[in-house]
Amino acid sequence: MQQTLVPEAGVGTTEPSRRPQVLTAVAGFVIGGGVIGMLWALSGVNAGALEDAQAACSALARVGTIPDTTDSAPGERTVAVLAPEVLHRMTAARELSAAAAAANDTYRPLADHIDGVSRMVFSLHFNQISGQRHLAQAEQLCTQL
């Protein structure tokens, strides 16, 4: 008796490789993950900078009224006394605006103007026209945030 061998279905036939599909899926995952990570990183920086700028403006507003002695008569000496919390708030405004500018250069003008105000306040020279101009510009920029 002779046996005849019949090949089983699928034996000896080759299926198409899944390698290209797997490589495409992995590449898509890597590229998608990279894009999501980049968007997440960029959104965090800008959001933090905006919050720092807004906090700087709040601290500047809480400083209160800064004396303006630019109209005093020449030789007239006016001395303003500031409470320690005013100086702390001015320092906070300066540092927060600098942090915002470091994270996003859009806030550089705000940081520069608040720095000018802080130099005037810390020196107690409220008759500085440039310091008063910095104050007006900082307040204007704060209204735009």
Side-chain angles (χ1 to χ4, degrees):
M1 196 156 140
Q2 235 183 0
Q3 287 186 339
T4 34
L5 297 175
V6 178
E8 291 182 24
V11 175
T13 60
T14 59
E15 292 183 27
S17 173
R18 290 188 179 179
R19 178 176 277 170
Q21 293 173 339
V22 170
L23 289 176
T24 302
V26 169
F29 179 75
V30 169
I31 291 171
V35 168
I36 296 291
M38 183 177 65
L39 291 173
W40 177 67
L42 290 175
S43 69
V45 168
N46 290 335
L50 175 61
E51 291 169 356
D52 286 344
Q54 290 171 336
C57 289
S58 294
L60 181 63
R62 291 190 63 211
V63 165
T65 304
I66 296 175
D68 183 357
T69 59
T70 54
D71 293 334
S72 346
E76 181 182 330
R77 184 172 174 146
T78 55
V79 177
V81 177
L82 299 176
E85 61 269 9
V86 170
L87 299 176
H88 292 300
R89 288 183 185 123
M90 190 70 245
T91 301
R94 186 185 69 215
E95 294 301 318
L96 285 165
S97 66
N104 187 335
D105 209 39
T106 304
Y107 301 109
R108 175 69 47 211
L110 177 66
D112 292 342
H113 289 302
I114 289 180
D115 182 57
V117 174
S118 71
R119 282 184 275 124
M120 176 184 68
V121 168
F122 294 141
S123 69
L124 299 177
H125 291 120
F126 300 110
N127 60 347
Q128 291 179 348
I129 294 172
S130 64
Q132 295 295 335
R133 192 174 326 121
H134 282 300
L135 178 60
Q137 290 293 318
E139 289 171 342
Q140 180 183 9
L141 288 171
C142 285
T143 61
Q144 296 172 1
L145 292 180

